[in-house]
Structures are given as C-alpha cells and as structure tokens.
Amino acid sequence: MKRTGAEIILDSLVAHGVHTVFGYPGGACLPLYDALYHYQDRINHILVRHEQGAAFAADGYARASADVGVCIATSGPGVTNLVTGIAGAHMDSVPVVALTGQVPRNLLGTDGFQETDATGVMLPITKHNWLVMNAEELPRVMEEAFHIANTGRKGPVQVDVPKDVFLEEVEFDNFPPPNIPGYNPDEGMQPDPTLVREAAEVIHGSEKPIILAGHGIHYSGAYEELLAFAEKANIPVITTLHGVSSFPESHDLSFGMVGMHGNIYANWAVDRADLLISLGMRFDDRVTGRLEDFATEARIIHVDIDPAEIGKNVNTDVGIVADLKPTIRALIDEIDQLDHSPWVKQICQWREDHPSLAIRETEIVLPQWVIRQIYHITNGEAVVVTDVGQAQMWAAQHFWYDRRNTFFSSGGLGAMGYAFPASIGVKYARPNEQVWCIIGDGGFQMTLQDLAVVKEHNIDVKIAIINNNHLGMIRQWQTLFYDSRFMSAKLENPDFVKLAEAYGLPGLRASTKSDVVKVLKEAEEIPGPVVLDLVVDEVEKVYPMVPAGSSLAETIEGDEVEEARYA
C-alpha cells in the first residue's frame, strides 16, 4: 500500500508502543504534524514550550518507563535547542529517539532558511543518526533507530528527515527486522562463566568488600538479584548518584551514596575496602575523587554492558562485559554464604560517629530539613525528579529511597533546567504515582515556561522550588574556594506564587518551618500541579564534600572545609 514518509514514521511509533511524544512544530516538520493530526487517537502529542523541554521530557519518560522516549523538533533552531537534552541522554545512557525535520532535499547545502547540519551537530552526542534521503529507507531506519536506542548500552538516536521526504509516497508493506552488521548487543548479555568463577574466588578472599551499585541496576532490572547477592555475601552496598533507589536504603547493608557529596562513612568504606564489586557504573570523577588515590587497597571487579567502560578510568582485576541480571545470578550461584560482620560493624561505627545526614536543630529553614519533610509527608512513596546543584544533592541525601527506580536526575551532563520538564515525562510514564520535582530557583527559571504545559494538561506534578535566592552551588564554591568573591551567584527572583497564578496554577509560599509543613500538606491535597516557593537559608552548604582534586579519604564534614583549597 502507499504510505507517505510521515505516515511510515508514525506507524513505527505505534508499532513500538509509543503513546506519548513531546515536541514543538516548525516549518520543516509540519508534514509530520499534519500526519500526526490523523493519529491523535493513538499518539498523544505534548506541545512543550521549548524544544529543550521536549528532549528532557522524553528523557524522563524513558527513565521512568523503561521504554524509549520520543521527541520532535524542526530544522535549524529546533534541532539545536534539542542538543542539551540529547547530550544529557547520551551521558546518562537514556534511550531517546529524536525525530527532526530538515529543509527539502533540493535546499540541502544551500544555507536555506533554518538549515543546519543536524546530523553533524548530533553526531558526537548520539549512539547513531540518519539523514533519510528517500522515504523507502524509513521502515528500515525506524526499526534500526528503536533497536539501537534500546539495546546494549542504551542511548539517544536521531532521525533527520527532509521536509519533502515526509511527503513522499512509497510502497510500504511492513517493518523489516533490524539487521545491522557489526552491532550485536545480545552477544554481550550473558557473562563468561570463567570470569564469574574468577570473580567468585576474589570475593571469597576478601575481608572488606563493597558493592558499588550504579545506573545499570535500573536498566537491567536487577533489583532482586542485587538484594539477594548482598545478603548472601553479607556485603555492604553503596550507590552512585544514578544508583540511588536501586537498593532499599532502610536495609542494614545500605550505606548510602559515594562521591563528592556522598556520606563520609560511604567514602571511607570505599577508600579502605580491599574489594570493590562495581555493578553498572563508570567510575566518573564525581565518584572517584583524585583518581590516583582512589581505593588504592582494593581489587576491582567491574561488570558493565559496555566493554569501553572496563579499565577506562581505573584498573580492573576482573572485568565482565555482560548484562547485570544474569551476571549477578551467576555470582549468587557461585559464591558461598559469607560473613563480613566485622567489616559491616566497622562501617556502622563510622556512621554512628560521623552521621552525615544529621540535620542540626535550628529555627532557620534549612533546605535539607525541607527535603526531609517532603519525605515524611509523602511517606517516602513519591517519585523524585531533581535538577542539578545543591537541591539535587540534598534530594539524593535526605529523601530516603526504598522503592525501586524512584530517583531521577541529570547526572553526567549536569544540566540545569532538567528536572521540571523531565518530571512531566516521568508523570506520563507513571500516571498513578506521586511525582515531585525538587529544583532550585536558578534551575527552575531555565525551563519554567512548561508551567503552561502542566496547566494545559493538568499534569499532577508538585514543583518544590528550594529557593535560596542564589545559584547555591556557585555560592558554595565561591565561598570555599574563591575567598567569598561572589560573582553572579545572587539571583533577583520573580514572585513565584504570582508567576504560578499567571499560568493559572496554585502557588504556595513558606518561609518558616511551620509554614513549610502546612503548605506541603496543602499541596498533597490539591489534585493537580502546584508550585511551592520554599524559601530556605541562603548560605547553607552541601556536606559532606570532597573538594575538587582531593581523594575520598579527604572527605570533609563541615567547617573544616574552609581550610581546603581549590586544586
């Protein structure tokens, strides 16, 4: 039968179970939107107010659903506005298909209106991309796009389509199965049994092991396996930022997060371990601190689906390239019931002596106290989407995550403005769950225009602005490492309550502890989106902290950080 290029693309979305897409129309992709008019009973299009929000929302949708997120933009500025969101998805291995319009084929290379080398721009920040010059290619390309995005180490792809290719009519029967020479991610799914036995021998010889759980636990769905493995081997579990909510934090073997703002006892445990069992994480600098002094006494077992990660940043004793779920199962079968009680007791003692998450008693509204109140009022059952900076770290530290895959953030790229549009995507992926967007006043002002989106669709996201009237992490670093020479850290903010009301949304403000509790409860009772302006202490810093250029052993808890110097 005859189908246009645009219809083939939309048929592909339907075939892959895509029911919600996020986008912004423009001249080059108008034929796709015209076709989309006839698919509204199958595909829900969310008109964001900036293309960057489309990419962030698709990213949030993908993380929360385990499906592929889809975003749409036009040529030129539409594509370039996607870049930050796609780069973030690439850094965090999030499966996103970006559909972009391009100028008609006869204008390519002529510097036509809104022409940009879109695939060239996207090349370094996608797993793969295509400039489709013939509609007959689209069935194959769309199958390859979804296959590449959602297999192996996941990530974003881009399909760039000239305007006239959307309109081109071709014969179409079905979508061919993907056949990509040289790309065989299934071959790496099962672990090498020899390496599993080798890893088990190393584990049996360890007295002070640590499990480092990363983002891969979520993608593999290896929650039960991680729990069973930790309990059988009696090994403490510490997570990366993206590993938060992969292991129940109320468990006796949970010791929180490692890294620049990790718990001091977690950092000490990693520093002094004789074995790190690293599962689906990549040893980035925010985890390791000064690399040459990272876990110098430890042997390292590293399991990751991407062979490029093994040995990239740290030397590995046993490297296993495989999916985590079958690998951990194989390890469970291979190891004996173990007892590391003295080591666990040692870390517990460090935690008792250095309680990183204790909040000091004061009438000042401390931001970490506000996060704790959100935890209490939601009974710890909310899905939390955070931005970047201080609010991100407090949300990771002080909202305790027992439920799986309930913490989302822009980790690798660290993109401010991520949390609000991403929370929209998360809500569409999990419509029956409470979704809280925890964001700073700086980050919120980068993408607040999507207040119009949550109003238009009555998207029930609670937006908690942790408002310290500053770019808080900038102020913190300028205080600690630039002798308090504050430059462009102070923000002159709008009235966020009036802003919410201007978009037709309820806005609530609190600047005392009693009012914080009151407005949080009130927000919970409102059936729809709410903007909360939670005014907190302006100078509070995030601790613990590993100063840049320092090692995990040099983690500092508080005031002594003043003696540290930027390296």
Side-chain angles (χ1 to χ4, degrees):
M1 60 180 172
K2 291 282 189 182
R3 304 293 282 169
T4 66
E7 289 169 337
I8 292 170
I9 290 171
L10 297 175
D11 286 344
S12 173
L13 299 188
V14 172
H16 284 279
V18 176
H19 56 76
T20 301
V21 300
F22 307 90
Y24 202 104
C29 65
L30 267 186
L32 179 64
Y33 275 80
D34 187 52
L36 188 57
Y37 179 86
H38 302 287
Y39 283 73
Q40 294 179 78
D41 58 333
R42 286 156 286 173
I43 300 173
N44 182 28
H45 177 267
I46 304 302
L47 173 62
V48 296
R49 298 310 194 256
H50 188 284
E51 292 89 347
Q52 186 183 90
F56 285 150
D59 173 301
Y61 180 91
R63 295 187 201 228
S65 68
D67 292 329
V68 174
V70 177
C71 57
I72 304 174
T74 193
S75 62
V79 171
T80 56
N81 284 343
L82 285 180
V83 165
T84 299
I86 298 300
H90 188 248
M91 289 286 286
D92 290 347
S93 307
V94 182
V96 170
V97 172
L99 301 170
T100 55
Q102 183 54 277
V103 299
R105 284 172 287 189
N106 66 322
L107 289 182
L108 284 170
T110 68
D111 293 335
F113 177 66
Q114 292 190 332
E115 182 187 7
T116 296
D117 179 4
T119 52
V121 169
M122 291 283 194
L123 183 65
I125 55 171
T126 52
K127 279 187 78 176
H128 197 61
N129 60 16
W130 299 260
L131 171 60
V132 183
M133 294 295 288
N134 188 318
E136 291 178 343
E137 301 173 22
L138 278 168
R140 172 185 59 79
V141 167
M142 291 303 296
E143 286 304 290
E144 291 178 358
F146 276 89
H147 179 62
I148 292 175
N150 207 26
T151 55
R153 179 172 181 168
K154 300 171 191 283
V157 300
Q158 175 207 15
V159 180
D160 194 38
V161 184
K163 184 174 184 178
D164 54 325
V165 174
F166 283 128
L167 296 166
E168 187 178 19
E169 270 197 337
V170 296
E171 286 292 334
F172 169 72
D173 294 323
N174 52 47
F175 292 100
N179 179 19
I180 308 168
Y183 183 74
N184 300 299
D186 289 346
E187 290 181 358
M189 297 297 281
Q190 297 297 321
D192 183 329
T194 303
L195 293 175
V196 171
R197 286 193 291 274
E198 188 177 337
E201 289 179 12
V202 174
I203 293 170
H204 285 143
S206 169
E207 295 182 354
K208 298 186 294 181
I210 291 291
I211 294 172
L212 276 178
H215 203 180
I217 298 292
H218 297 302
Y219 278 138
S220 179
Y223 305 106
E224 293 290 348
E225 289 77 7
L226 174 61
L227 181 62
F229 175 53
E231 289 181 340
K232 184 175 183 181
N234 189 223
I235 298 178
V237 177
I238 293 170
T239 72
T240 65
L241 177 70
H242 280 317
V244 169
S245 76
S246 67
F247 189 81
E249 294 191 340
S250 61
H251 195 283
D252 289 343
L253 290 171
S254 173
F255 291 93
M257 186 174 72
V258 70
M260 177 171 279
H261 293 291
N263 299 327
I264 194 165
Y265 43 86
N267 285 356
W268 286 356
V270 171
D271 179 68
R272 298 170 197 187
D274 66 3
L275 172 63
L276 298 181
I277 305 165
S278 310
L279 305 175
M281 49 84 68
R282 57 187 177 85
F283 293 107
D284 77 286
D285 60 296
R286 290 299 171 108
V287 165
T288 65
R290 189 169 60 236
L291 195 56
E292 58 265 34
D293 292 320
F294 174 71
T296 54
E297 300 174 8
R299 303 187 72 184
I300 292 179
I301 298 169
H302 191 181
V303 184
D304 200 280
I305 203 164
D306 185 353
E309 291 298 338
I310 307 296
K312 184 178 80 174
N313 291 331
V314 301
N315 293 325
T316 301
D317 295 274
V318 183
I320 302 176
V321 179
D323 182 71
L324 287 177
K325 199 177 185 83
T327 304
I328 301 174
R329 283 178 180 168
L331 280 171
I332 292 170
D333 292 340
E334 202 65 38
I335 62 170
D336 302 325
Q337 190 82 39
L338 300 172
D339 181 9
H340 295 104
S341 297
W343 173 231
V344 175
K345 186 177 179 181
Q346 172 65 75
I347 304 173
C348 287
Q349 188 62 53
W350 288 336
R351 180 167 58 186
E352 184 175 335
D353 296 340
H354 300 271
S356 297
L357 303 184
I359 300 173
R360 65 184 184 276
E361 292 292 334
T362 174
E363 287 306 307
I364 297 171
V365 181
L366 298 176
Q368 58 270 47
W369 179 87
V370 172
I371 304 295
R372 191 70 57 81
Q373 301 317 302
I374 295 174
Y375 171 82
H376 289 311
I377 284 171
T378 61
N379 295 315
E381 295 181 352
V383 176
V384 173
V385 188
T386 74
D387 216 62
V388 171
Q390 288 184 316
Q392 174 193 41
M393 290 300 137
W394 284 317
Q397 293 172 334
H398 293 278
F399 190 107
W400 298 319
Y401 301 86
D402 275 344
R403 298 176 62 235
R404 298 167 180 172
N405 202 24
T406 51
F407 174 83
F408 305 102
S409 191
S410 174
L413 190 67
M416 288 178 66
Y418 167 83
F420 180 36
S423 68
I424 294 172
V426 169
K427 185 63 181 179
Y428 272 100
R430 298 189 186 174
N432 298 321
E433 298 207 38
Q434 303 180 65
V435 176
W436 279 74
C437 168
I438 297 178
I439 191 168
D441 44 315
F444 181 59
Q445 290 181 84
M446 286 195 170
T447 50
L448 63 81
Q449 67 274 6
D450 282 329
L451 287 172
V453 178
V454 296
K455 169 60 180 176
E456 179 181 351
H457 299 280
N458 192 32
I459 302 169
D460 188 4
V461 172
K462 312 304 181 191
I463 305 150
I465 304 170
I466 309 301
N467 181 6
N468 58 6
N469 288 296
H470 279 84
L471 299 173
M473 197 61 89
I474 297 299
R475 180 188 169 92
Q476 176 165 338
W477 278 60
Q478 289 178 340
T479 302
L480 301 177
F481 309 121
Y482 295 90
D483 296 327
S484 297
R485 292 187 298 276
F486 300 120
M487 182 66 198
S488 300
K490 178 73 174 175
L491 292 174
E492 293 296 331
N493 288 327
D495 184 325
F496 291 118
V497 171
K498 289 184 177 177
L499 183 71
E501 291 170 352
Y503 279 95
L505 297 169
L508 305 170
R509 177 179 295 115
S511 55
T512 66
K513 294 178 87 168
S514 59
D515 282 349
V516 167
V517 174
K518 177 183 173 185
V519 301
L520 291 178
K521 289 180 177 175
E522 189 174 344
E524 278 281 275
E525 294 170 357
I526 295 175
V530 183
V531 176
L532 296 114
D533 181 13
L534 305 171
V535 182
V536 300
D537 183 43
E538 293 192 352
V539 299
E540 185 67 6
K541 305 181 189 72
V542 180
Y543 290 119
M545 182 177 187
V546 180
S550 300
S551 72
L552 295 185
E554 297 165 324
T555 303
I556 40 188
E557 294 178 276
D559 293 340
E560 64 268 39
V561 75
E562 303 290 353
E563 298 174 7
R565 288 293 177 265
Y566 176 70

